[in-house]
Amino acid sequence: MSTQPVIQLENATKTYGGIAALAGATFDLLPGEIHALVGENGAGKSTLCKLIAGVITPSEGHLRVDGEVVAFAAPKDASRRGISMVYQETSLVPQLTVAQNIVLGREAAFNSVRKVRNAARQVLQRLNFKVDPSQLAGSLSAAKRQMVEIARAVVNEARVIILDEPTAALTPEETDHLFDLMRSLKRSGVAMIFISHALEEALNHADRISVLRNGRMIQTGPASSFTRASLIRHMIGEDLAEQAPARPAANTRSTAVPVLQVENIRMGAMVNNMSFSIFPGEVTGIAGLIGSGRSEVAKVIMGHTKRNFSGGRIWLDGREVRYTLPAQAVADGIAYVSEDRKLDGFFETMGVAENIGLGWLAKFGRRSILAPRHRMRALADDWEKRLSIRRIGANQPVLHLSGGNQQKVVIAKSLSQEPRLVIFDEPTRGVDVGAIAEIRQIIRSIANNGAGVILISSYLPEILDLSDRILVAKSGTIAAEFSRADATAERILHAAVH
Amino acid sequence: MSADSAAAPLTLPNQGSGRRNMLERVVAAATFLLIVAFAATIDGFATTGNLGIILINSASLTVLSCGMAVVIISRGLDLSLIAQMVAGATIFGMLISGGVAAPLALLAAYLSMVAIGALNAWLIAYVEIPSMLATLASSMFIVGLFRFAVLRGEYLLLLPKSDPTVAFFAGRLLPFLPVPVALMLGTLMATWFLLNRTVAGRIIYAMGDNFQAARLSGLSVRVTAIVVYVFAAFTAITAGLIMASASGAVDFRTVTNGTLLFEVILVVVLGGIPLRGGRGGLRNIIVGVALIAVLRNGMTLMNVTTQTQDMLKGLILLAAIITDNYLNPRDAETDTAGDL
């Protein structure tokens, strides 16, 4: 029996202001198939998914559902045909309960709270989700929110579920659970598309993989026909030597005096008596699950969070400090590269030079009245070369750069302040494969040049490759410390979970 | 969607501000058409004498719009601008009526503006009250205080028209240059300089673009807020001096009836400065003022009542935004939360 694809995309093109985000891509999805989409940031993965989900309409080409040409005007048209999309930024209503979110858009005119809750409970049980239907959606962890979104898709009798980077915010165990669920949905005939930056997930869990590059469909084939190396080659169009960045043979710790010492920091419910020291010339990795208080403690150190700060002491170079504003921390030589660059990292309407120049200005322009524009421009050009930031036009807003280049801009903005301590929070999240190695190299070289580096990352290989010392955070405290020699992925995970 | 190396040879216009520039162009084109239509239908519209009248009459609106634009670009809003305007003019008027030397009276008026602006900035940047609420509260407080303590419940403070300083503000600096127009040009230049040439200007754009990023990068967002709101207060008192000297009175009803404040916001938005901040500049202010000034002048020459003028202004705002949306349809990709 020849199977009729549920979704066929024929020569689809989508342009934004003259730029093709998707250029003549052809794609098909078979019933009961798990199909992985891979490609660098900006390759057109999200655009392709949004075309299928009816969020956007193609500039050229068309979409067939069950062989029939359709034109979706809005996501609800797609959902009527059984197509649901689970977004990266989940689209639950935080003020409603899990149950209300699951039935959202399908409520009867008169709703009974109990009926809604029972219906939701049934679905959640069928999917083996341990989520309380009467909990507020806003109080759920990222993983649980995603589960609720999938449950909603199932309630909507979706035949096609599109998952946009579903594992980005999940722990390894939650990821396994998600793929188990996807396999069970597959058995009931649901077809799934998932976008992933973790190539192993695509190789291990997908039936077929499609590789996009620069808006074009480069290759589609059974997962077994690809290897990690061949995927990367298709994604970036060249061979990429993946290797751990060089680090000095001897320990670079120049002195025994820590650049930063933190003692018994407490903040709200997230940080609970956290203590650690950071030494110059070292990369100190902080591993841990999401919600273990790592970013929060970084924000307390920076003076970014002050409201719930409830105690603890911080020393910088042996001098006790207590910042109430990031500007004070920056003046003392601390820089923080945040985990969400779009939210609080870069200035989206400004160009590369302006972004880097503003970082420099924050530390070195405090006393001036006139903006030293030529100085800022020269400095930005210099950093652009040093970090090989690839931009299109001089005034191209940073928003339109690829994830890797955006991250390099944010890093350059911080490094232009010549910091003594740099805190990296998930530095390679949402960064294209090609730029990850470069960014790791940059992080390593900062420590090799004598500054202290804190590396907060949920990606264990990154922590293991880069760190001289590894701390494991667990529910707001440091649960374990490993030297580079003692650390293994298993031991870190064990410390983070148990 | 980020355009990556696929588009390497292309040079893009600044798409982020592209939507705004479009509105600016729509409004500029509408202004031009209005000028042509008025010139063809109204006798005495296209004369140098009338041009002078348009400039003098729009001087205080332009000066206020400069202050409001700077505040809005920094992602704030100053609802106390008109209250500051009448308060400053009242201080000046009381002092010269009481026989204080004009330079001293001016100094006192400007210094009290520094105090009001700094108080607004303190509430917004240090106490962290949203700018709309902080300035709404200070606006009500200022009006109440001045009407109670200075005017003893009156609405109106009459200025001695014969006073040389009052006469100066209503007169001419050079034979071809009335003082209000000179002050307007000076304020426009000061605004350009602040936004484009100073460190504070760079930080104002950074705050409007992404306040959290500006704060976390270590930019001095609090000091800059003081600069912003004191600058706004300076434009308020300058406009107050122009307006009071021209009419010979300070009228607190300009605050309480609210139309002037809305007109200032209308100018800024029509010129293409989004309320979410981070974008726009001097050109946008000029385009916005030009439309309103030409419209006001033309309709007054045609004896259109102010009520009809208000209705027309409302319709024009809607028409401009709708045209802009039609020319730049938004979808999920280009939509930004908080964008107008």
Side-chain angles (χ1 to χ4, degrees), chain A residues 375-404:
Chain A
R375 183 86 192 270
M376 282 164 71
R377 163 72 60 177
L379 189 98
D381 285 347
D382 180 40
W383 278 106
E384 243 167 70
K385 282 196 206 82
R386 277 161 74 174
L387 303 191
S388 56
I389 296 169
R390 281 170 293 274
R391 56 172 170 81
I392 299 172
N395 295 320
Q396 169 83 0
V398 172
L399 188 63
H400 298 276
L401 297 180
S402 70

Side-chain angles (χ1 to χ4, degrees), chain B residues 29-47 50 54 289-304 309 312-313 316:
Chain B
T31 312
F32 179 75
L33 289 178
L34 260 183
I35 292 174
V36 172
F38 283 155
T41 53
I42 306 171
D43 279 339
F45 177 81
T47 59
N50 190 43
I54 293 180
V289 170
L291 177 68
I292 295 300
V294 167
L295 194 69
R296 201 154 67 170
N297 176 266
M299 290 194 298
T300 308
L301 290 181
M302 290 196 294
N303 290 323
V304 178
Q309 291 193 20
L312 266 172
K313 279 180 211 155
I316 282 167

Side-chain angles (χ1 to χ4, degrees), chain A residues 263-283:
Chain A
E263 206 179 273
N264 291 331
I265 291 277
R266 293 186 297 281
M267 191 202 76
M270 295 298 278
V271 185
N272 183 17
N273 277 336
M274 209 181 260
S275 305
F276 55 84
S277 297
I278 306 297
F279 294 91
E282 265 191 5
V283 175

Side-chain angles (χ1 to χ4, degrees), chain A residues 431-463:
Chain A
V431 165
D432 27 300
V433 177
I436 287 179
E438 287 178 83
I439 286 174
R440 292 193 186 159
Q441 195 72 57
I442 294 164
I443 294 174
R444 192 58 238 179
S445 71
I446 296 168
N448 294 354
N449 290 332
V453 175
I454 300 178
L455 171 66
I456 298 171
S457 177
S458 299
Y459 187 48
L460 276 181
E462 182 164 284
I463 293 258

Side-chain angles (χ1 to χ4, degrees), chain A residues 333-460:
Chain A
I334 307 179
Y336 173 63
V337 177
S338 86
E339 62 182 322
D340 187 340
R341 54 184 168 269
K342 190 165 183 293
L343 187 72
D344 51 20
F346 58 77
F347 304 109
E348 61 177 45
T349 61
M350 301 187 185
V352 173
E354 190 101 10
N355 266 280
I356 300 174
L358 277 164
W360 178 84
L361 205 60
K363 177 146 185 201
F364 299 106
R366 306 176 72 81
R367 301 267 167 269
S368 17
I369 291 178
L370 295 185
R373 291 179 303 139
H374 299 293
R375 183 86 192 270
M376 282 164 71
R377 163 72 60 177
L379 189 98
D381 285 347
D382 180 40
W383 278 106
E384 243 167 70
K385 282 196 206 82
R386 277 161 74 174
L387 303 191
S388 56
I389 296 169
R390 281 170 293 274
R391 56 172 170 81
I392 299 172
N395 295 320
Q396 169 83 0
V398 172
L399 188 63
H400 298 276
L401 297 180
S402 70
N405 282 314
Q406 287 177 351
Q407 188 70 340
K408 284 188 200 170
V409 169
V410 177
I411 293 173
K413 183 158 77 66
S414 293
L415 293 188
S416 73
Q417 301 174 338
E418 297 169 19
R420 287 186 305 190
L421 173 68
V422 190
I423 306 172
F424 286 99
D425 200 348
E426 306 288 355
T428 57
R429 177 183 288 175
V431 165
D432 27 300
V433 177
I436 287 179
E438 287 178 83
I439 286 174
R440 292 193 186 159
Q441 195 72 57
I442 294 164
I443 294 174
R444 192 58 238 179
S445 71
I446 296 168
N448 294 354
N449 290 332
V453 175
I454 300 178
L455 171 66
I456 298 171
S457 177
S458 299
Y459 187 48
L460 276 181

